[in-house]
Amino acid sequence: MNPVLNDDDLRRFGVGTYDRWTAMWNGDVGLAEEIMAPEFTLRYAQAGTEAFDDVRTPRQLADIITSWHRSRPGLRFAAEATAVVDLGFVDGAPAGLVARPYVASFADQDGRTVARSGTDTLRGTGGLITEVWSVSSGAGGRTFYR
């Protein structure tokens, strides 16, 4: 990365990283190798996500996302609202945090669309995602925005 980038460039980088994170969760799992560090930590608070506790590599993440989609046909994620971007340069590459609300939608067993909100916070080091905190409204939850 070029350390002469300004705050607007860092913001665009952070939002772009979050957008690619969302695209990866929507099935573009090849992005895992591009945006994730070779080893990272996932911290998912919602019930039923224990399988993510042991995911540490881009390949493992791609595999679990693929499996997640197989068991939840039609699952789609979309970023919502304004991203909070707190990035600077460390050793010439973007590092820091990007957080943003999202909405996940899917069809229930009766074919009705169900939507749930959450927030993902991504920690980046060296321009790659090294840690993720994710909290969602869960099975009985609702959306942030109507």
Short mmCIF file of all heavy atoms in Angstrom, two decimals, residues 58-102:
data_model
loop_
_atom_site.label_atom_id
_atom_site.label_comp_id
_atom_site.label_asym_id
_atom_site.label_seq_id
_atom_site.Cartn_x
_atom_site.Cartn_y
_atom_site.Cartn_z
N PRO A 58 -8.19 -18.76 5.59
CA PRO A 58 -9.13 -18.40 4.52
C PRO A 58 -9.86 -19.61 3.93
O PRO A 58 -11.06 -19.55 3.67
CB PRO A 58 -8.25 -17.71 3.49
CG PRO A 58 -7.13 -17.12 4.30
CD PRO A 58 -6.87 -18.15 5.37
N ARG A 59 -9.16 -20.73 3.74
CA ARG A 59 -9.80 -21.93 3.16
C ARG A 59 -10.89 -22.46 4.09
O ARG A 59 -11.97 -22.82 3.65
CB ARG A 59 -8.74 -23.01 2.90
CG ARG A 59 -9.28 -24.34 2.46
CD ARG A 59 -9.93 -24.49 1.08
NE ARG A 59 -10.14 -23.34 0.28
CZ ARG A 59 -11.27 -23.05 -0.41
NH1 ARG A 59 -12.27 -23.85 -0.43
NH2 ARG A 59 -11.38 -21.97 -1.11
N GLN A 60 -10.61 -22.51 5.39
CA GLN A 60 -11.63 -22.96 6.34
C GLN A 60 -12.84 -22.04 6.32
O GLN A 60 -13.98 -22.51 6.38
CB GLN A 60 -11.05 -23.00 7.76
CG GLN A 60 -10.06 -24.10 8.00
CD GLN A 60 -9.42 -23.97 9.39
OE1 GLN A 60 -9.04 -22.89 9.81
NE2 GLN A 60 -9.32 -25.11 10.08
N LEU A 61 -12.61 -20.74 6.23
CA LEU A 61 -13.72 -19.79 6.20
C LEU A 61 -14.54 -19.97 4.93
O LEU A 61 -15.77 -20.00 4.98
CB LEU A 61 -13.21 -18.35 6.32
CG LEU A 61 -14.28 -17.27 6.35
CD1 LEU A 61 -15.28 -17.49 7.49
CD2 LEU A 61 -13.61 -15.89 6.48
N ALA A 62 -13.88 -20.10 3.79
CA ALA A 62 -14.60 -20.32 2.53
C ALA A 62 -15.45 -21.59 2.61
O ALA A 62 -16.61 -21.60 2.17
CB ALA A 62 -13.60 -20.41 1.37
N ASP A 63 -14.89 -22.64 3.18
CA ASP A 63 -15.63 -23.90 3.30
C ASP A 63 -16.86 -23.76 4.20
O ASP A 63 -17.93 -24.27 3.88
CB ASP A 63 -14.72 -25.01 3.83
CG ASP A 63 -13.67 -25.45 2.83
OD1 ASP A 63 -13.77 -25.10 1.64
OD2 ASP A 63 -12.71 -26.14 3.26
N ILE A 64 -16.71 -23.07 5.33
CA ILE A 64 -17.84 -22.96 6.26
C ILE A 64 -18.91 -22.03 5.70
O ILE A 64 -20.10 -22.26 5.91
CB ILE A 64 -17.38 -22.57 7.68
CG1 ILE A 64 -18.44 -23.02 8.68
CG2 ILE A 64 -17.07 -21.10 7.79
CD1 ILE A 64 -17.98 -23.02 10.11
N ILE A 65 -18.52 -21.00 4.96
CA ILE A 65 -19.51 -20.13 4.32
C ILE A 65 -20.30 -20.92 3.29
O ILE A 65 -21.52 -20.82 3.21
CB ILE A 65 -18.85 -18.88 3.70
CG1 ILE A 65 -18.36 -17.94 4.80
CG2 ILE A 65 -19.81 -18.16 2.76
CD1 ILE A 65 -17.50 -16.80 4.31
N THR A 66 -19.61 -21.73 2.50
CA THR A 66 -20.28 -22.57 1.50
C THR A 66 -21.27 -23.51 2.18
O THR A 66 -22.42 -23.64 1.74
CB THR A 66 -19.23 -23.36 0.69
OG1 THR A 66 -18.38 -22.43 0.02
CG2 THR A 66 -19.90 -24.29 -0.31
N SER A 67 -20.86 -24.12 3.27
CA SER A 67 -21.74 -25.02 4.02
C SER A 67 -22.92 -24.25 4.61
O SER A 67 -24.07 -24.72 4.59
CB SER A 67 -20.93 -25.69 5.13
OG SER A 67 -21.77 -26.46 5.96
N TRP A 68 -22.66 -23.07 5.14
CA TRP A 68 -23.70 -22.22 5.74
C TRP A 68 -24.79 -21.93 4.69
O TRP A 68 -25.97 -22.00 4.99
CB TRP A 68 -23.03 -20.94 6.23
CG TRP A 68 -23.77 -20.12 7.22
CD1 TRP A 68 -24.46 -18.98 6.96
CD2 TRP A 68 -23.89 -20.33 8.62
NE1 TRP A 68 -24.98 -18.47 8.11
CE2 TRP A 68 -24.64 -19.28 9.15
CE3 TRP A 68 -23.41 -21.32 9.48
CZ2 TRP A 68 -24.95 -19.18 10.50
CZ3 TRP A 68 -23.70 -21.21 10.82
CH2 TRP A 68 -24.46 -20.16 11.32
N HIS A 69 -24.36 -21.62 3.47
CA HIS A 69 -25.33 -21.32 2.40
C HIS A 69 -26.10 -22.57 1.98
O HIS A 69 -27.28 -22.46 1.64
CB HIS A 69 -24.63 -20.69 1.19
CG HIS A 69 -24.45 -19.22 1.34
ND1 HIS A 69 -25.39 -18.31 0.92
CD2 HIS A 69 -23.45 -18.49 1.90
CE1 HIS A 69 -24.98 -17.09 1.20
NE2 HIS A 69 -23.80 -17.17 1.79
N ARG A 70 -25.46 -23.73 1.99
CA ARG A 70 -26.16 -24.96 1.63
C ARG A 70 -27.32 -25.23 2.59
O ARG A 70 -28.37 -25.71 2.18
CB ARG A 70 -25.20 -26.16 1.65
CG ARG A 70 -24.74 -26.53 0.28
CD ARG A 70 -23.98 -27.84 0.27
NE ARG A 70 -22.59 -27.49 -0.03
CZ ARG A 70 -21.56 -27.75 0.74
NH1 ARG A 70 -21.68 -28.42 1.85
NH2 ARG A 70 -20.36 -27.36 0.39
N SER A 71 -27.12 -24.91 3.86
CA SER A 71 -28.16 -25.18 4.85
C SER A 71 -29.16 -24.03 4.98
O SER A 71 -30.15 -24.16 5.70
CB SER A 71 -27.53 -25.49 6.20
OG SER A 71 -26.86 -24.36 6.71
N ARG A 72 -28.90 -22.92 4.29
CA ARG A 72 -29.79 -21.75 4.34
C ARG A 72 -29.98 -21.19 2.94
O ARG A 72 -29.44 -20.13 2.62
CB ARG A 72 -29.18 -20.68 5.26
CG ARG A 72 -29.13 -21.09 6.70
CD ARG A 72 -28.09 -20.28 7.47
NE ARG A 72 -27.94 -20.74 8.84
CZ ARG A 72 -27.20 -21.77 9.19
NH1 ARG A 72 -26.54 -22.47 8.30
NH2 ARG A 72 -27.13 -22.14 10.46
N PRO A 73 -30.73 -21.89 2.10
CA PRO A 73 -30.91 -21.44 0.72
C PRO A 73 -31.46 -20.01 0.67
O PRO A 73 -32.34 -19.64 1.44
CB PRO A 73 -31.91 -22.43 0.13
CG PRO A 73 -31.83 -23.63 1.01
CD PRO A 73 -31.46 -23.12 2.37
N GLY A 74 -30.91 -19.21 -0.24
CA GLY A 74 -31.39 -17.85 -0.43
C GLY A 74 -30.84 -16.84 0.57
O GLY A 74 -31.24 -15.67 0.55
N LEU A 75 -29.93 -17.26 1.43
CA LEU A 75 -29.36 -16.36 2.42
C LEU A 75 -28.60 -15.23 1.73
O LEU A 75 -27.77 -15.47 0.87
CB LEU A 75 -28.41 -17.13 3.35
CG LEU A 75 -27.67 -16.33 4.41
CD1 LEU A 75 -28.66 -15.71 5.41
CD2 LEU A 75 -26.68 -17.24 5.13
N ARG A 76 -28.93 -13.98 2.10
CA ARG A 76 -28.26 -12.80 1.53
C ARG A 76 -27.93 -11.82 2.63
O ARG A 76 -28.72 -11.62 3.55
CB ARG A 76 -29.14 -12.08 0.51
CG ARG A 76 -29.51 -12.88 -0.70
CD ARG A 76 -28.36 -13.29 -1.57
NE ARG A 76 -27.65 -12.14 -2.11
CZ ARG A 76 -26.47 -12.21 -2.69
NH1 ARG A 76 -25.86 -13.35 -2.80
NH2 ARG A 76 -25.88 -11.14 -3.15
N PHE A 77 -26.77 -11.22 2.52
CA PHE A 77 -26.33 -10.19 3.45
C PHE A 77 -26.22 -8.88 2.72
O PHE A 77 -25.83 -8.85 1.55
CB PHE A 77 -24.95 -10.55 4.04
CG PHE A 77 -24.97 -11.77 4.90
CD1 PHE A 77 -24.81 -13.04 4.35
CD2 PHE A 77 -25.16 -11.67 6.27
CE1 PHE A 77 -24.82 -14.17 5.15
CE2 PHE A 77 -25.18 -12.79 7.08
CZ PHE A 77 -25.01 -14.04 6.52
N ALA A 78 -26.55 -7.79 3.40
CA ALA A 78 -26.39 -6.45 2.83
C ALA A 78 -25.92 -5.50 3.92
O ALA A 78 -26.46 -5.51 5.03
CB ALA A 78 -27.71 -5.95 2.24
N ALA A 79 -24.91 -4.70 3.59
CA ALA A 79 -24.45 -3.68 4.52
C ALA A 79 -25.53 -2.61 4.64
O ALA A 79 -26.26 -2.33 3.68
CB ALA A 79 -23.15 -3.05 4.01
N GLU A 80 -25.63 -2.05 5.84
CA GLU A 80 -26.61 -0.99 6.08
C GLU A 80 -25.93 0.19 6.75
O GLU A 80 -24.88 0.04 7.37
CB GLU A 80 -27.73 -1.49 7.00
CG GLU A 80 -28.63 -2.52 6.38
CD GLU A 80 -29.87 -2.75 7.21
OE1 GLU A 80 -29.75 -3.04 8.42
OE2 GLU A 80 -30.96 -2.65 6.64
N ALA A 81 -26.56 1.34 6.64
CA ALA A 81 -26.13 2.55 7.33
C ALA A 81 -24.69 2.92 6.96
O ALA A 81 -24.15 2.47 5.96
CB ALA A 81 -26.31 2.42 8.83
N THR A 82 -24.10 3.73 7.77
CA THR A 82 -22.76 4.26 7.52
C THR A 82 -21.73 3.44 8.27
O THR A 82 -21.90 3.13 9.45
CB THR A 82 -22.69 5.73 7.99
OG1 THR A 82 -23.68 6.47 7.30
CG2 THR A 82 -21.33 6.33 7.73
N ALA A 83 -20.66 3.11 7.58
CA ALA A 83 -19.56 2.38 8.21
C ALA A 83 -18.78 3.31 9.14
O ALA A 83 -18.62 4.49 8.85
CB ALA A 83 -18.63 1.82 7.15
N VAL A 84 -18.31 2.75 10.24
CA VAL A 84 -17.37 3.45 11.11
C VAL A 84 -15.99 2.93 10.73
O VAL A 84 -15.74 1.72 10.80
CB VAL A 84 -17.67 3.17 12.60
CG1 VAL A 84 -16.61 3.81 13.48
CG2 VAL A 84 -19.07 3.65 12.96
N VAL A 85 -15.13 3.83 10.30
CA VAL A 85 -13.80 3.45 9.81
C VAL A 85 -12.76 4.17 10.66
O VAL A 85 -12.74 5.40 10.70
CB VAL A 85 -13.63 3.80 8.32
CG1 VAL A 85 -12.23 3.43 7.84
CG2 VAL A 85 -14.70 3.11 7.48
N ASP A 86 -11.93 3.39 11.32
CA ASP A 86 -10.84 3.94 12.14
C ASP A 86 -9.55 3.24 11.70
O ASP A 86 -9.12 2.27 12.32
CB ASP A 86 -11.13 3.71 13.62
CG ASP A 86 -10.08 4.31 14.53
OD1 ASP A 86 -9.28 5.15 14.06
OD2 ASP A 86 -10.03 3.92 15.71
N LEU A 87 -9.00 3.73 10.58
CA LEU A 87 -7.80 3.13 10.01
C LEU A 87 -6.67 4.14 9.97
O LEU A 87 -6.90 5.34 9.81
CB LEU A 87 -8.06 2.65 8.57
CG LEU A 87 -9.04 1.51 8.37
CD1 LEU A 87 -9.27 1.27 6.88
CD2 LEU A 87 -8.55 0.24 9.04
N GLY A 88 -5.47 3.64 10.08
CA GLY A 88 -4.26 4.42 9.88
C GLY A 88 -3.25 3.54 9.18
O GLY A 88 -3.58 2.44 8.74
N PHE A 89 -2.04 4.02 9.05
CA PHE A 89 -0.99 3.22 8.44
C PHE A 89 -0.05 2.68 9.49
O PHE A 89 0.40 3.40 10.37
CB PHE A 89 -0.20 4.04 7.42
CG PHE A 89 -0.90 4.19 6.12
CD1 PHE A 89 -1.55 5.37 5.81
CD2 PHE A 89 -0.93 3.15 5.22
CE1 PHE A 89 -2.22 5.50 4.61
CE2 PHE A 89 -1.60 3.27 4.01
CZ PHE A 89 -2.24 4.45 3.71
N VAL A 90 0.20 1.39 9.40
CA VAL A 90 1.20 0.73 10.23
C VAL A 90 2.10 -0.03 9.28
O VAL A 90 1.61 -0.85 8.48
CB VAL A 90 0.55 -0.22 11.27
CG1 VAL A 90 1.62 -0.97 12.04
CG2 VAL A 90 -0.37 0.55 12.19
N ASP A 91 3.38 0.26 9.32
CA ASP A 91 4.34 -0.37 8.41
C ASP A 91 3.91 -0.25 6.95
O ASP A 91 4.05 -1.19 6.16
CB ASP A 91 4.57 -1.84 8.79
CG ASP A 91 5.19 -1.98 10.17
OD1 ASP A 91 5.97 -1.10 10.57
OD2 ASP A 91 4.87 -2.96 10.87
N GLY A 92 3.31 0.89 6.59
CA GLY A 92 2.97 1.18 5.21
C GLY A 92 1.68 0.56 4.70
O GLY A 92 1.39 0.63 3.52
N ALA A 93 0.89 -0.06 5.57
CA ALA A 93 -0.36 -0.69 5.14
C ALA A 93 -1.49 -0.27 6.09
O ALA A 93 -1.25 0.00 7.26
CB ALA A 93 -0.22 -2.21 5.13
N PRO A 94 -2.74 -0.25 5.58
CA PRO A 94 -3.87 0.09 6.45
C PRO A 94 -4.01 -0.88 7.61
O PRO A 94 -3.87 -2.09 7.44
CB PRO A 94 -5.08 0.00 5.52
CG PRO A 94 -4.53 0.17 4.15
CD PRO A 94 -3.17 -0.46 4.20
N ALA A 95 -4.30 -0.31 8.78
CA ALA A 95 -4.52 -1.12 9.97
C ALA A 95 -5.53 -0.40 10.85
O ALA A 95 -5.57 0.83 10.88
CB ALA A 95 -3.22 -1.34 10.73
N GLY A 96 -6.36 -1.15 11.53
CA GLY A 96 -7.35 -0.57 12.43
C GLY A 96 -8.67 -1.30 12.32
O GLY A 96 -8.71 -2.50 12.03
N LEU A 97 -9.77 -0.56 12.54
CA LEU A 97 -11.10 -1.16 12.63
C LEU A 97 -12.07 -0.58 11.62
O LEU A 97 -12.03 0.61 11.32
CB LEU A 97 -11.67 -0.94 14.03
CG LEU A 97 -10.87 -1.52 15.19
CD1 LEU A 97 -11.44 -1.03 16.51
CD2 LEU A 97 -10.86 -3.04 15.14
N VAL A 98 -12.96 -1.44 11.15
CA VAL A 98 -14.11 -1.05 10.34
C VAL A 98 -15.31 -1.78 10.91
O VAL A 98 -15.27 -2.99 11.11
CB VAL A 98 -13.94 -1.46 8.85
CG1 VAL A 98 -15.16 -1.09 8.04
CG2 VAL A 98 -12.69 -0.83 8.26
N ALA A 99 -16.37 -1.03 11.21
CA ALA A 99 -17.59 -1.64 11.75
C ALA A 99 -18.78 -1.13 10.97
O ALA A 99 -18.82 0.03 10.54
CB ALA A 99 -17.75 -1.29 13.23
N ARG A 100 -19.77 -2.00 10.79
CA ARG A 100 -20.96 -1.60 10.05
C ARG A 100 -22.11 -2.54 10.36
O ARG A 100 -21.90 -3.75 10.48
CB ARG A 100 -20.67 -1.62 8.56
CG ARG A 100 -21.72 -0.94 7.74
CD ARG A 100 -21.23 -0.72 6.34
NE ARG A 100 -22.14 0.19 5.65
CZ ARG A 100 -22.01 0.53 4.40
NH1 ARG A 100 -21.00 0.06 3.69
NH2 ARG A 100 -22.86 1.35 3.84
N PRO A 101 -23.32 -2.01 10.48
CA PRO A 101 -24.48 -2.88 10.61
C PRO A 101 -24.74 -3.61 9.28
O PRO A 101 -24.37 -3.13 8.21
CB PRO A 101 -25.64 -1.93 10.92
CG PRO A 101 -25.02 -0.62 11.24
CD PRO A 101 -23.68 -0.60 10.60
N TYR A 102 -25.41 -4.74 9.39
CA TYR A 102 -25.83 -5.48 8.20
C TYR A 102 -27.21 -6.05 8.44
O TYR A 102 -27.69 -6.13 9.57
CB TYR A 102 -24.84 -6.61 7.86
CG TYR A 102 -24.81 -7.72 8.87
CD1 TYR A 102 -25.73 -8.78 8.81
CD2 TYR A 102 -23.87 -7.73 9.90
CE1 TYR A 102 -25.71 -9.79 9.76
CE2 TYR A 102 -23.85 -8.74 10.85
CZ TYR A 102 -24.77 -9.76 10.78
OH TYR A 102 -24.76 -10.76 11.70
#
